[in-house]
C-alpha cells in the first residue's frame, strides 16, 4: 500500500476513534455552570471577585441539577437602598452558604477557607441567626464539604433579557430536590433569607419572621 494511502487510512481511523467522543460531549441541563457563558453579567461581572455566579439562558441550572441553587432575579434599578444594596447582601448570603470569591472582600478569610461539612455549616448558621431550636436535620448524611447552596443571579434589565425572568423587581427561586420553587423572603434581609432557604429544603421547621439585621454575614467566625 502506498505511503500516502496508509497515512490517509491512519488519519481516518484517528478521526473516527477520537473525533466521536469530542463531538458527543454536550452540556446536560444542570450538569455544570460556567461563569463566562453570559454575555452580560450585570452586577456580578468579576468572576474572581464575586461569590455569586451570573446566570442566563445559556447556563441556568436545570431542576435535575445535583447541586442546590438559590437564584436571584433582579433589575439593576432596584439596587438603590443605602445600607441594603442587594448585590452586597446576596454576596454575603452566598458566603454564608460556603461560596467564596478567589480574592477581594468576598474571598474566604481565616477559618472560612477550610472545607466545612454541610451539617456543621448549617448548625453554625442556625446559631448565628438564632434558629438552632428549629433545626430538623437527618441523623445521617450532610457530610459533603461543597457549598450547601450555590448562589446565582439573573439580570432582567441587561442588554439581553433571559427568558427565565419573571418581570421587574427582585425575586428568589430555589432549585432543590428536582424542583424549582419560589422563595418568598427579601434577599436584602440576610437572616430571613438564610432561614427561608433551609425551611424550603426541609431542614428547619417553619417559624416566625426574624428581626431585620444588616451586614451580619462577614463569616469571620467560620
Amino acid at each position: 500500500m502506498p505511503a500516502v494511502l496508509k497515512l490517509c487510512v491512519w488519519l481516518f481511523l484517528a478521526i473516527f476513534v477520537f473525533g466521536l467522543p469530542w463531538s458527543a460531549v454536550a452540556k446536560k441541563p444542570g450538569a455544570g455552570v460556567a461563569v463566562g457563558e453570559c454575555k452580560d453579567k450585570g452586577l456580578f461581572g468579576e468572576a474572581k471577585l464575586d461569590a455569586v455566579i451570573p446566570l442566563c439562558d445559556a447556563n441556568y441550572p436545570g431542576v435535575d441539577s445535583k447541586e442546590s441553587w438559590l437564584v436571584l432575579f433582579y433589575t439593576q434599578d432596584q439596587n438603590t437602598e443605602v445600607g441594603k444594596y442587594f448585590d452586597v447582601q446576596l454576596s454575603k448570603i452566598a458566603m454564608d452558604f460556603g461560596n467564596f470569591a478567589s480574592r477581594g472582600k468576598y474571598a474566604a478569610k481565616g477559618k472560612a477557607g477550610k472545607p466545612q461539612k454541610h451539617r456543621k455549616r448549617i448548625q453554625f448558621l442556625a446559631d448565628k441567626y438564632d434558629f438552632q431550636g428549629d433545626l430538623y436535620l437527618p441523623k445521617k448524611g450532610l457530610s459533603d464539604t461543597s457549598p450547601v447552596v450555590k448562589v446565582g443571579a439573573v439580570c432582567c434589565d441587561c442588554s439581553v433579557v433571559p427568558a427565565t425572568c419573571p418581570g421587574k423587581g427582585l425575586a428568589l427561586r430555589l432549585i432543590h430536590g428536582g424542583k424549582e420553587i419560589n422563595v418568598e423572603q427579601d434577599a436584602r434581609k440576610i437572616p430571613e433569607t438564610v432561614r427561608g432557604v433551609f425551611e424550603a429544603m426541609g431542614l428547619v421547621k417553619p417559624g416566625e419572621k426574624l428581626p431585620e439585621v444588616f451586614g451580619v454575614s462577614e463569616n469571620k467566625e467560620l
Side-chain angles (χ1 to χ4, degrees), residues 111-118 120-121 144-146:
K111 294 181 180 180
K114 298 181 180 179
Q116 195 172 48
K117 292 183 178 180
H118 285 187
K120 186 174 181 181
R121 184 174 293 278
D144 200 328
T145 56
S146 63

Side-chain angles (χ1 to χ4, degrees), residues 188-211:
R188 291 167 292 197
K189 298 179 180 179
I190 297 173
E192 289 186 8
T193 300
V194 170
R195 175 172 182 146
V197 169
F198 287 147
E199 285 182 4
M201 294 173 69
L203 300 174
V204 177
K205 299 175 185 177
E208 298 179 359
K209 288 186 177 181
L210 295 173

Side-chain angles (χ1 to χ4, degrees), residues 115-158:
Q116 195 172 48
K117 292 183 178 180
H118 285 187
R119 181 179 299 273
K120 186 174 181 181
R121 184 174 293 278
I122 294 169
Q123 290 172 334
F124 169 80
L125 293 174
D127 181 65
K128 181 177 184 179
Y129 296 129
D130 197 25
F131 58 85
Q132 62 270 35
D134 293 328
L135 279 180
Y136 191 71
L137 303 182
K139 293 182 179 180
K140 296 182 180 180
L142 299 176
S143 59
D144 200 328
T145 56
S146 63
V148 178
V149 179
K150 299 281 288 183
V151 179
V154 179
C155 179
C156 294
D157 64 346
C158 287

Side-chain angles (χ1 to χ4, degrees), residues 33-77:
V33 175
V35 175
E37 289 187 2
C38 295
K39 293 182 179 179
D40 196 335
K41 302 177 180 63
L43 297 176
F44 304 95
E46 295 290 338
K48 293 183 179 180
L49 299 177
D50 287 318
V52 177
I53 296 175
L55 299 174
C56 53
D57 289 337
N59 67 347
Y60 192 82
V63 294
D64 60 343
S65 174
K66 294 180 180 179
E67 299 170 310
S68 297
W69 280 85
L70 177 67
V71 181
L72 175 68
F73 295 84
Y74 69 92
T75 51
Q76 298 174 88
D77 61 349

Side-chain angles (χ1 to χ4, degrees), residues 75-86:
T75 51
Q76 298 174 88
D77 61 349
Q78 298 293 307
N79 206 29
T80 57
E81 193 168 351
V82 177
K84 292 195 298 182
Y85 293 118
F86 67 76

